[in-house]
Amino acid sequence: MRQVHTLVIGSGAAGLAAALRLRELGVEDLLLLSEGLHRGTSINTGSDKQTYYKLGIYGSEPDSPVQLAHSIFDGGSVHGDVALVEAALSVRCFMHLVNLGVPFPHDEFGQYIGYKTDHDPKRRATSCGPYTSREMCLALIRAVKAAGVEIAERRTVAELVTVDGRAAGAIAFNGETKEFETILAENVVFAVGGPGGLYRTSVYPAGHFGAIGLALKAGALAQGLPESQFGLASIKFRWNVSGTYMQVLPRFISTAADGVSDEREFLLDHYPDAGAMNSMIFLKGYQWPFDVRKVPDGSSEIDLLVHEETVKKNRRVFLDFRSNTAAGLDFDALSEEARNYLEKSGALFGTPIERLRKMNPGAISLYADHGIDLTAEPLEIAVCAQHNNGGLAGNIWYESVNLPHLFPIGEVNGSHGVTRPGGTALNAGQVGAFRAAEFIAAKYRDFTLDFAAAEKRAVELLASLESRLNGTRDWRADRRELQERMTVYGGHLRPVEKLDEAADAARKLLDAMYRDGYPREDAEHAVTNFQLAFSHWLYLESIAFQAASGAGSRGSAALVNPDGSLMPENPAYRKFVLESGVTGDAVRLRWVDCRPVPEPDGWFENVWADCRDGRIYGTL
């Protein structure tokens, strides 16, 4: 049983940044647990040009931290003080990545260029191509290794250890020795990513499952769990088909289940002409997430039409970049926005693949790197789970609001609310890493953990865990069941009258898994199933509660009435955040007021004194 000062769980962009920043601030007794440095979401996901969202720092367009905070806050169900933190530190964290070698583009004057992304009123977004988060990870891995941070790979965390109402470490399964290890820690930085394993139809990397269920089981409070983001993605190789993939106007075709016969351009049945259809496909590029406000007369109608083909009609849908629509492509028939964009990009010509090669050749080579030739074959797509805007509830220093010494950062921190400007997730992960590291270094350097009590608790948890690894359940069947349930009831279309039933079924599955257990040889998959089952239960309880409250359809999730109509949104609920938690067997669900965006007007000498004397960290 090992003891360390700070344990970092997760090696995505957020976890790596936290480990590096902790070391830079003098926290030496540090261990980073990872399932694998090259596994997980950050290093394996992207889009046509994956976005990093930050304060605008190009040209003469004015911007400020408070303005950026309001852009984050205005999406609804967001705490304004956290939004201001993410805005205020965005440039610092961005430049830290630049200094580590992440190749964000700048002009000859050194200005870092920006563009508009979804839900973005200014040109704050930037990108270094399809693999922005991978480039971030690679740069951070180099820096973390150079700093001498100890890294333990092939570890799957099975339990969080808590004692006396605080975090105290973790129990992990060692994939090499096939044994459990216990690491007790003064502080736990929890950077495990989003709930990638919860959905059958998903664009999360196949090997990324997330681990929010561990913290939920340990009693950590969550917020905004129903607020997920869904959108069109390829499924043979999991990747968002946003941005340029849509703006070059590919053909949308559906086929019979064999993927070949009965090919149809099904969108032509739903638009008055090819010009209207292609204009809407273009909009789908930077209105990529499914958004209930963009149906039935907006770009998100395309998501519903794809869903109808793939789910209701049991057909398959593909993007075909090899030729223009059979109805004929007339650039003059496009919307002014689409035509001007293609004209400025020098792409008013040719076929979709020719336009894609002109506008973003990396988007073609990306698929080629994964065995898919867009010049020779269509690309199969579906509406997929992509991001959880909710997660664990943290304060402005990214410490859990009810479980001290636990610091959820990255996607597992639920700071985003109903909608968010594209790319805010990458910024939020870096900001959370910096804030957690700073707070730990400033206020949590001394050991205060009762290690004897923590060890006793760890022994109890391990005994309970081992007792559940002497059973006969099939982990594959259980995972299929929970993933199917989340896709059907927690996806972008949620049948109102069946949500309570789904949550009850989720609880029954969890109980059965604990009662019957799994074979010991399936331990690595079993511990993942336990936390996934716990989280899918609380997610569905939260979704059902939100629906029963009357919040209605919002963000990327539509509530479907028994007659098939979509329930309208009650926008009043955007002023509140839904909190969720479990104590024992009792589920706690409640709406709390959004904290407003602070409007600070400080005096230099006073702020300097507060910073110098440590008053900015509050009182403990």
Side-chain angles (χ1 to χ4, degrees), residues 53 71-72 117-121 124 229 286 289 291 293-294 419-422:
Y53 194 67
S71 295
I72 299 171
T117 184
D118 44 297
H119 308 297
D120 173 24
R124 293 174 174 140
Q229 188 165 282
Y286 59 82
D291 187 339
R293 294 175 299 182
K294 296 181 176 66
T419 62
R420 60 182 178 85

Side-chain angles (χ1 to χ4, degrees), residues 74-194:
D74 290 347
S77 296
V78 173
H79 287 307
D81 50 359
V82 176
L84 182 57
V85 169
E86 292 185 358
L89 268 73
S90 66
V91 174
R92 181 184 181 191
C93 292
F94 172 73
M95 288 303 178
H96 181 254
L97 293 169
V98 169
N99 292 337
L100 290 178
V102 180
F104 289 109
H106 60 80
D107 66 11
E108 65 269 35
F109 306 107
Q111 297 183 104
Y112 283 86
I113 186 68
Y115 58 89
K116 283 189 177 183
T117 184
D118 44 297
H119 308 297
D120 173 24
K122 297 177 181 286
R123 296 196 301 166
R124 293 174 174 140
T126 187
S127 172
C128 57
Y131 291 115
T132 298
S133 61
R134 184 180 74 172
E135 293 293 333
M136 291 165 56
C137 284
L138 293 175
L140 286 162
I141 288 170
R142 291 192 296 269
V144 164
K145 288 183 174 180
V149 174
E150 183 182 356
I151 301 169
E153 296 189 76
R154 294 289 308 276
R155 301 316 197 270
T156 301
V157 177
E159 295 279 0
L160 282 184
V161 181
T162 62
V163 65
D164 298 329
R166 54 163 290 172
I171 297 171
F173 183 80
N174 185 324
E176 295 176 349
T177 66
K178 308 301 180 184
E179 299 294 336
F180 288 102
E181 301 171 344
T182 299
I183 305 98
L184 302 181
E186 178 68 19
N187 305 291
V188 177
V189 177
F190 198 60
V192 297

Side-chain angles (χ1 to χ4, degrees), residues 289-307:
F290 174 72
D291 187 339
V292 295
R293 294 175 299 182
K294 296 181 176 66
V295 292
D297 299 321
S299 60
S300 287
E301 183 72 12
I302 293 175
D303 301 273
L304 296 184
L305 295 172
V306 171
H307 178 83

Side-chain angles (χ1 to χ4, degrees), residues 246-530:
M246 294 290 118
Q247 290 160 342
V248 299
L249 311 179
R251 287 200 312 147
F252 276 71
I253 60 174
S254 76
T255 72
D258 61 11
V260 178
S261 62
D262 192 26
E263 179 182 304
R264 297 175 47 246
E265 281 195 66
F266 62 98
L267 292 187
L268 288 171
D269 299 336
H270 300 275
Y271 291 98
D273 53 59
M277 178 188 73
N278 280 320
S279 297
M280 206 58 71
I281 292 172
F282 173 86
L283 279 179
K284 194 75 205 138
Y286 59 82
Q287 295 178 356
W288 174 81
F290 174 72
D291 187 339
V292 295
R293 294 175 299 182
K294 296 181 176 66
V295 292
D297 299 321
S299 60
S300 287
E301 183 72 12
I302 293 175
D303 301 273
L304 296 184
L305 295 172
V306 171
H307 178 83
E308 181 178 359
E309 293 290 314
T310 56
V311 176
K312 295 182 179 179
K313 297 181 179 179
N314 195 32
R315 291 171 63 83
R316 295 168 69 181
V317 173
F318 300 83
L319 300 180
D320 189 350
F321 293 90
R322 298 170 295 177
S323 61
N324 294 318
T325 174
L329 175 57
D330 180 359
F331 291 111
D332 290 334
L334 295 176
S335 66
E336 182 178 1
E337 182 178 12
R339 186 174 62 255
N340 287 345
Y341 189 97
L342 291 171
E343 183 176 16
K344 288 182 179 180
S345 301
L348 282 178
F349 70 94
T351 61
I353 194 67
E354 291 169 339
R355 293 188 287 274
L356 190 58
R357 186 175 291 112
K358 167 67 176 179
M359 294 169 64
N360 190 354
I364 301 173
S365 59
L366 181 150
Y367 277 103
D369 291 343
H370 293 85
I372 300 172
D373 184 356
L374 297 183
T375 69
E377 62 183 299
L379 182 69
E380 188 167 9
I381 64 168
V383 182
C384 297
Q386 186 260 353
H387 191 275
N388 189 197
N389 284 357
L392 300 177
N395 61 22
I396 63 171
W397 294 100
Y398 291 77
E399 185 176 22
S400 167
V401 296
N402 72 317
L403 201 58
H405 296 267
L406 177 71
F407 292 84
I409 63 172
E411 189 178 341
V412 79
N413 184 291
S415 65
H416 298 298
V418 181
T419 62
R420 60 182 178 85
T424 49
L426 292 183
N427 172 64
Q430 297 301 291
V431 170
F434 268 57
R435 292 287 279 189
E438 181 179 344
F439 192 87
I440 289 169
K443 301 299 289 186
Y444 284 169
R445 278 189 182 270
D446 296 335
F447 281 96
T448 61
L449 177 63
D450 183 341
F451 278 99
E455 182 173 348
K456 180 181 178 181
R457 177 58 179 155
V459 169
E460 294 171 351
L461 286 171
L462 186 56
S464 174
L465 184 58
E466 291 282 9
S467 72
R468 287 178 264 129
L469 295 173
N470 190 29
T472 58
R473 293 190 72 86
D474 180 353
W475 69 267
R476 296 173 185 84
D478 286 347
R479 191 169 299 176
R480 282 195 299 269
E481 178 183 335
L482 71 87
Q483 289 177 338
E484 179 70 20
R485 185 176 294 114
M486 278 298 294
T487 294
V488 173
Y489 301 104
H492 69 294
L493 297 177
R494 299 171 176 176
V496 173
E497 79 282 6
K498 296 182 179 180
L499 294 178
D500 286 330
E501 179 183 328
D504 290 342
R507 178 68 211 203
K508 289 176 182 176
L509 174 63
L510 177 64
D511 290 343
M513 288 166 55
Y514 268 70
R515 180 186 66 245
D516 301 335
Y518 295 99
R520 184 62 171 76
E521 59 266 26
D522 292 336
E524 190 166 6
H525 301 294
V527 297
T528 298
N529 269 19
F530 287 131

